[in-house]
């Protein structure tokens, strides 16, 4: 009991240390409700600046693992973590600029974590998590399918210039 | 060391580290505020900030995220890395002049040192998005609800409508009562010729053919009684309303309101290749006299309406092109800004077109004049945010391109002819060649060879364009059917009010809803409205029970199209009046708010609104009812006494004399010259121009070079590149809702009429047409064709002198003189105006 309390306290006070970090590149493994299993990208993701900030995402529940608890330079170990996403967080698509590989946030994803891209994850999703202090502000997810309305490639990489509209109900007879 | 001591030590270290981090952070922010932010504001914001609306090189430096994101060349700031921070490199004023900032001169070394220190500190920057305090409204809604336009239209008892021997219909009763009040007397009725010409132009936008003019004039003139005269007039009205030309004329009116155009306008002005489907939908809707409430529902939420078959589904989806054909800045880098602007444009158009209300003024603050709190704007924005807009374009040509909606096999006609096997093979070959060329360039880049950036962009554009062209056909070469339109998202997006409309200043979350001033207190949100059993019942009548839209667009459309909405019927009745008389009962047809004009005949406006609803929202019925009034059949003659009291003819003592719209002037020229092609063209003339931005991929002279003899409504409608004749005669540019066109009179118009080859060709064709008559009848027949009347004696004398004058220094032949005479008729003010 004494030991658990101590570990809890350590975690509680550890958070401000992490509060300097503001963006973290992760791979999302699984989403359930408002919780998300993520693995921090080794090296901060493609195109991420070296020496970039570590993240400050609070892992929840305590003791179930965390990511982003490393100082810059300590990003070689991929650790899985469960994070809780607050309802106020903005969930958007994201993309890497073709030429510079810079990350750009895209349009908001309807439904947030209820969006279908999170509901049926076939393969891990690359994402950026933007935080302020210990609060998650934004999650920007890179997936070809999320921006089908803003690009001309579908999730399989094939060009798409038109999609079939959703069929409305039939009129009552 | 025992376990508990180790824990204690770790705990102490963490506390120290924690406090140290906080102190460092606070110190860093203080350093930023005192040393960095002032420099950015003074030297950089002018070209790189949201406030200045500029992002040179795609870079903004007014937020932390924007700095990290950087511009076209990469991130401006990379924490703790001087070599990778382009901003720092540019401050050093190296050899590359493109990377010397600020451009006015190098900053002092001390300032550069501050930036160095700041970046090495980790570039602390407090400018992150935070939720602002709730924004309260100061709008007094209760007071606002008392404004005339927000009151339910009042039915005037028939017994209170002034009976007069002059009045033929209840509408005349309202008009004559006001004339009496003002001490005015109506002028005489228009003569039959004037009336027939007026009817043809107002209802179909074309002049009567000489035999039609003669026939109808005779029937009206020879009527033995006023009743039989009215019967003859009503027969003519009915015939014209049944003509397919009516839909082309009145569909064009609605296109002004719906700011219809076939390009994005804005920064890149990319061509919309599929907007024409919405154009044709409008023409058909007017021809079929689609009830106006259905017309509203289809344009706002057609994709969500229950259907009876595939064809109806496709037509309804096409109708939502209303929300898609507006101006867009498709070169915008920030997708969220584009999305916000797109929604703003949709809110503005929807509320002004159907409600005559400028809700978009409340994007940044409460409406300055009307009782519309800022929350109302975001309540509507929530509905449109839950909507995806499909407008097409090609990604390589427009940064913010979207897909289109595929309606192949659902019934709408193809917009292009099918491809032969050879044409299809050529298209595939083009695509493959473009792909190969791009692959080759990429190979070069990978092997270290430099490829010019513009070349790469061109190759990508070529590949995407050929790919898109190919996807426009099935494997058998059959054209696929694409359309612009909207769809609901899978979930609504939570919407926050934005302080000053700025994306990075969100405040309270706003539930989706409609305007508070037009709703009972506390019942404006979608959730609250759904508790109302009458609303639920009406929605249930539309489709299967409990059918609701995810976005709330269906509910919004139903609210606007409801007979209980005090604005909708009034606004469209006023528009119809405006299109019939040249001026509305409310002059400001798009603004029924405090800054708009009050109605000159409020009771008449309510009467028309109620009649429209009673007649199942039939626009044709309303047109017919107005056309049969004595007020509409008045002459446009001058009366000094009336003019002194009412110079602007606000109280309708005569008909307004007015110039015809640009499209009508052109159509009339083609009609009198016998060159008018009345067939609807296949798709759009812009098909031949191709995809892309004007000036980038497609070129203005090519668009202007498109010639066709179809009605003007089918001409290419590219923003900022209107056909010259339309431009000169005040056709709107379709940047926003234009319920009332400007009518200017400029020397350019006269010069155009005298010198433009199109006008000259029509004059020559008219000459050929009249040359078939005996020489003695030519002048008269030319005048009859062009003006709908025979020439006066003076006009004949003048014309004869001109044609037979052998002493004329010019070497014109008689035929050429006749052509000049015909052109003079087309140039006459009488030709391009109606009495």
């Amino acid at each position: 009991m004494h030991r658990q309390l101590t570990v809890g306290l350590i975690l509680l006070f550890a958070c401000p240390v992490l509060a300097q970090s503001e963006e973290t590149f992760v791979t999302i493994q699984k989403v359930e409700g408002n919780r998300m299993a993520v693995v921090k990208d080794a090296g901060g993701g493609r195109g991420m600046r070296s020496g970039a900030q570590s993240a400050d995402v609070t892992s929840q529940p305590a003791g179930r693992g965390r990511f982003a608890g490393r100082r810059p330079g300590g990003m070689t170990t991929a650790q899985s973590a469960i994070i809780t996403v607050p309802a106020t967080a903005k969930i958007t698509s994201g993309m890497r600029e073709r030429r510079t590989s810079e990350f750009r946030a895209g349009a908001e994803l309807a439904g947030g974590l209820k969006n279908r891209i999170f509901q049926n994850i076939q393969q891990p999703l690359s994402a950026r998590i933007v935080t302020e202090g210990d609060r998650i502000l934004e999650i920007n997810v890179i997936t070809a399918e999320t921006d089908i309305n803003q690009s001309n490639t579908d999730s399989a990489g094939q060009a798409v210039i038109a999609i079939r509209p959703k069929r409305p109900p039939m009129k009552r007879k | 060391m025992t376990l508990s001591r180790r824990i204690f030590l770790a705990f102490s270290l963490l506390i120290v580290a924690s406090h140290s981090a906080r102190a460092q952070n606070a110190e860093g922010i203080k350093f930023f505020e005192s040393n960095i932010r002032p420099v950015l504001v003074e030297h950089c914001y002018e070209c790189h900030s949201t406030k200045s609306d500029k992002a040179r090189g795609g870079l903004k430096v007014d937020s932390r995220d924007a700095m990290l994101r950087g511009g076209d060349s990469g991130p401006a700031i990379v924490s703790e890395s001087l070599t990778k921070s382009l901003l720092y490199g540019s401050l050093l004023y190296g050899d590359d002049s493109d990377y010397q900032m600020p451009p006015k001169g190098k900053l002092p070394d001390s300032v550069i040192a501050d930036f160095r220190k700041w970046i090495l500190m980790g570039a602390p920057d407090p400018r992150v998005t935070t939720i602002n305090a709730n924004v309260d409204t100061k709008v007094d809604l209760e007071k606002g609800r008392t404004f005339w336009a927000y009151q339910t239209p009042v039915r005037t008892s028939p017994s209170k409508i002034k009976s007069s021997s002059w009045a033929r219909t209840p509408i005349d009763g309202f008009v004559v009562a006001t004339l009496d009040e003002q001490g005015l007397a109506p002028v005489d009725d228009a003569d039959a010729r004037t009336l027939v010409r007026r009817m043809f132009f107002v209802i179909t936008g074309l002049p009567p053919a000489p035999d039609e003019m003669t026939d109808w004039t005779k029937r009206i003139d020879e009527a033995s009684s006023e009743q039989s005269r009215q019967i003859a007039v009503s027969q003519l009205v009915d015939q014209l309303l049944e003509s397919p030309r009516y839909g082309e004329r009145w569909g064009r009116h609605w296109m002004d309101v719906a700011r219809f155009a076939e390009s994005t306008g804005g920064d890149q002005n990319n061509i919309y290749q599929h907007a024409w489907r919405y154009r044709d939908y409008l023409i058909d809707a007017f021809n079929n006299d689609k009830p106006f409430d259905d017309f509203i529902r289809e344009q706002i939420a057609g994709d969500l309406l229950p259907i009876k078959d595939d064809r109806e589904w496709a037509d309804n989806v096409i109708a939502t092109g209303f929300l898609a054909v507006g101006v867009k800045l498709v070169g915008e880098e920030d997708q969220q800004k584009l999305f916000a602007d797109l929604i703003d444009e949709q809110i503005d158009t929807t509320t002004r077109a159907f409600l005559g209300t400028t809700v978009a003024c409340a994007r940044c603050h409460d409406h300055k004049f009307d009782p519309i709190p800022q929350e109302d704007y975001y309540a509507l924005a929530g509905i449109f945010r839950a909507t995806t807009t499909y407008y097409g374009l090609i990604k390589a040509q427009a940064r913010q391109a979207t897909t289109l909606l595929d309606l192949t096999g659902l019934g709408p006609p193809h917009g292009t002819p099918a491809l032969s096997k050879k044409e299809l093979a050529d298209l595939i070959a083009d695509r493959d060649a473009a792909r190969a060329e791009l692959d080759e360039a990429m190979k070069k880049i990978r092997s270290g060879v430099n490829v010019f950036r513009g070349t790469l962009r061109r190759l990508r554009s070529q590949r995407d364009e050929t790919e898109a062209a190919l996807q426009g056909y099935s494997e058998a070469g059959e054209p696929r059917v694409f359309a612009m339109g909207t769809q609901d998202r899978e979930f609504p997006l939570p919407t926050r009010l934005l302080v000053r409309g700025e994306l990075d200043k969100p405040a309270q979350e706003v539930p989706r809803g409609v305007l508070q001033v037009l709703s009972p207190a506390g019942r404006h949100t979608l959730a609250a409205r759904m508790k109302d059993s009458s609303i639920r019942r009406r929605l249930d009548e539309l489709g299967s029970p409990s059918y609701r839209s995810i976005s709330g667009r269906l509910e919004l459309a139903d609210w606007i199209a409801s007979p209980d909405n005090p604005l909708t019927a009034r606004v469209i009745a006023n528009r119809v009046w405006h299109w019939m008389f040249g001026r509305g009962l409310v002059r400001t047809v798009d603004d029924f708010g405090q800054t708009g004009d009050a109605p000159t005949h409020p009771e008449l406006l309510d009467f028309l609104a109620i009649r429209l609803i009673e007649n199942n929202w039939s626009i044709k019925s309303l047109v017919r009812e107005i056309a049969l009034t004595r007020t509409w059949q008045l002459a446009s003659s001058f009366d000094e006494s009336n003019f002194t009291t009412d110079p602007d003819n606000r109280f309708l003592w005569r008909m307004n004399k007015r110039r015809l719209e640009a499209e009508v002037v052109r159509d009339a020229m083609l009609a009198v010259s016998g060159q008018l092609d009345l067939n609807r063209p296949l798709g759009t003339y812009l098909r031949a121009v191709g995809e892309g931005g004007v000036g980038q991929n497609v070129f203005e002279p090519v668009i202007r070079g498109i010639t066709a003899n179809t009605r003007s409504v089918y001409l290419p409608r590219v923003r900022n590149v209107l056909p010259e004749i339309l431009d000169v005669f005040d056709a709107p540019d379709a940047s926003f809702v234009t319920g009332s066109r400007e009518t200017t009179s400029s020397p350019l118009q006269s010069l155009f009429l005298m010198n433009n080859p199109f006008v000259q060709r029509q004059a020559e064709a008219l000459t050929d047409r009249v040359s078939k008559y005996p020489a003695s009848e030519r002048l008269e027949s030319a005048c009859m064709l062009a003006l709908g009347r025979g020439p006066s004696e003076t006009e004949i004398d003048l014309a004869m002198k001109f044609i037979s004058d052998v002493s004329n220094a010019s070497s014109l032949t008689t035929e050429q003189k006749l052509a000049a005479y015909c052109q003079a008729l087309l140039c006459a003010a009488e030709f391009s105006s109606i009495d």
Side-chain angles (χ1 to χ4, degrees), chain B residues 523-751:
Chain B
R523 299 255 301 277
H524 64 286
T525 63
L526 289 188
R529 286 180 59 75
M530 281 306 107
K531 287 179 188 159
D532 188 323
S533 57
S534 65
I535 294 169
R536 280 207 310 272
R537 205 177 312 120
R538 202 167 52 240
L539 281 169
D540 288 346
E541 281 167 13
L542 290 175
S544 49
S546 311
Y547 174 55
R548 304 285 178 268
S549 66
I550 293 166
S551 61
R553 258 186 307 128
L554 190 61
E555 292 75 4
L556 171 67
D558 185 67
W559 173 74
I560 293 176
S562 161
D564 300 329
N565 190 314
L567 280 170
T568 312
R570 276 194 183 118
V571 168
I572 185 59
N574 188 57
R575 288 193 191 283
V576 171
W577 190 273
H578 171 84
W579 292 326
M580 296 289 287
F581 281 88
R583 290 170 197 169
L585 295 170
V586 175
R587 294 287 169 102
T588 50
V589 289
D590 300 325
D591 186 4
F592 273 47
Q594 291 278 2
T595 52
D597 280 5
T600 49
H601 301 72
E603 290 176 337
L604 172 56
L605 182 61
D606 284 4
F607 174 84
L608 294 170
I610 291 168
R611 288 289 291 164
L612 177 70
I613 295 168
E614 285 174 349
N615 286 325
N616 192 28
W617 296 84
S618 162
I619 299 294
K620 276 189 180 179
S621 294
L622 191 58
V623 171
R624 187 177 193 279
E625 196 159 345
I626 293 172
L628 293 180
T629 62
R630 191 160 190 183
T631 310
W632 194 75
Q633 294 176 24
L634 284 177
S636 61
S637 47
F638 180 74
D639 180 279
E640 188 154 1
S641 165
N642 286 339
F643 186 80
T644 309
T645 311
D646 180 20
D648 212 17
N649 191 30
R650 288 166 59 81
F651 300 107
L652 302 164
W653 51 269
R654 64 168 167 172
M655 171 52 80
N656 297 309
K657 196 169 190 161
R658 53 197 152 125
R659 206 201 61 214
L660 294 164
E661 295 92 333
E663 292 85 350
V664 183
V665 172
R666 178 183 170 276
D667 292 351
M669 284 185 191
L670 285 166
V672 302
S673 68
Q675 301 295 302
L676 182 63
D677 176 1
L678 287 172
N679 294 312
R680 180 184 284 185
L682 182 68
T684 173
Y685 291 114
L686 289 172
R687 191 176 63 239
V689 170
E691 298 260 7
V694 177
Q696 287 282 328
N697 315 87
V698 298
F699 297 97
E700 202 174 315
V702 180
I703 298 170
R704 289 196 189 280
I706 294 172
T707 52
N709 285 350
T710 47
R711 290 200 70 175
S712 305
V713 70
Y714 300 117
L715 289 181
R717 204 83 182 187
V718 177
R719 290 185 164 101
N720 303 321
V721 196
L722 290 183
E724 199 176 357
I725 186 168
L726 304 191
D727 208 9
V728 167
F729 285 94
D730 306 318
D733 193 40
S735 298
F736 41 76
V737 173
T738 310
S740 174
R741 290 188 178 193
E742 296 285 326
T743 305
T744 62
S745 181
S746 77
L748 272 182
Q749 293 163 355
S750 304
L751 290 168

Side-chain angles (χ1 to χ4, degrees), chain A residues 6 10 49 53 90 99 106-108 110-111 114 116 149-150 159 161-164 166-167 169 171-172, chain B residues 7 64 72 78 306-307 310 312 335-336 385 388 395 401-402 404 406 408 471 487-488 490-491 540 543:
Chain A
T6 309
I10 288 171
R49 285 78 65 187
Q53 309 88 332
K90 192 189 267 189
R99 192 162 43 80
E108 279 182 74
K114 288 182 194 157
R116 67 191 152 89
N149 189 42
Q150 295 290 339
I161 63 167
I163 58 161
R164 199 69 155 177
K166 284 170 263 186
R167 194 181 183 92
K171 272 181 182 164
R172 277 195 292 176
Chain B
I7 289 171
R64 182 178 190 280
D72 294 342
V78 175
I307 51 169
D310 282 355
E312 188 177 17
Q335 203 174 63
Q336 293 185 25
R385 273 166 60 81
T388 310
K395 189 74 178 172
T402 74
L404 289 160
D406 185 355
T408 309
Q471 284 207 31
Q487 291 278 280
D488 264 11
E490 288 175 39
F491 300 93
D540 288 346

Side-chain angles (χ1 to χ4, degrees), chain B residues 198-373:
Chain B
R198 184 188 297 165
M199 276 192 187
F200 269 82
F201 272 119
V202 168
I203 298 177
T204 67
L206 291 173
D211 53 340
E212 287 175 314
M213 175 61 101
T214 310
D215 179 36
W216 285 106
T217 306
K218 194 175 163 196
R219 285 169 72 174
I220 292 169
D221 274 341
E222 289 179 358
S224 55
S225 64
E226 192 171 295
Q227 196 184 1
S228 54
R229 184 183 192 274
Q230 272 295 79
I231 289 169
V233 171
S234 67
Q235 285 169 345
L236 174 56
V237 173
D238 289 341
Q239 179 188 302
L240 295 175
L241 287 173
E242 283 309 305
S243 159
R245 310 286 84 82
Y246 160 79
E248 290 165 341
R249 166 73 160 145
W250 284 66
R252 183 56 250 173
H253 283 321
W254 189 258
M255 286 175 213
D256 282 4
V257 175
R259 46 62 175 123
F260 169 81
E262 295 178 87
S263 74
T264 61
D267 50 356
Q268 293 192 181
N269 205 11
N270 284 56
I271 303 288
Y272 291 140
Q273 282 287 346
H274 304 275
W276 64 271
R277 289 195 184 276
Y278 174 64
R279 174 200 71 194
D280 287 359
Y281 160 84
L282 292 179
I283 292 169
D284 293 341
F286 276 95
N287 272 335
N288 298 331
D289 199 21
K290 188 181 284 290
F292 192 73
D293 56 344
D294 288 346
F295 187 61
I296 295 171
R297 288 192 186 95
E298 288 173 13
Q299 288 179 88
I300 298 176
D303 56 311
L304 306 168
L305 290 171
I307 51 169
K308 67 172 188 293
D309 54 29
D310 282 355
R311 181 61 206 250
E312 188 177 17
W313 176 23
D315 287 346
N316 288 351
V317 169
I318 290 167
T320 61
F322 171 77
L323 294 173
V325 296
V327 172
K328 289 173 195 67
L329 298 172
V330 291
E332 174 62 55
E333 296 195 359
D334 186 340
Q335 203 174 63
Q336 293 185 25
K337 184 173 182 306
L338 173 98
F339 188 38
D341 289 345
L342 171 69
I343 287 161
D344 183 63
E345 204 271 341
Q346 290 172 332
I347 291 175
D348 187 43
T349 305
T350 304
T351 54
R352 288 176 70 192
F354 298 118
L355 302 174
T357 303
T358 53
V359 176
C361 293
R363 182 180 183 179
C364 307
H365 45 68
D366 287 346
H367 199 292
K368 294 288 183 193
F369 305 102
D370 297 334
I372 301 169

Side-chain angles (χ1 to χ4, degrees), chain A residues 94 121 140 155:
Chain A
I121 295 180
N140 319 119
S155 54

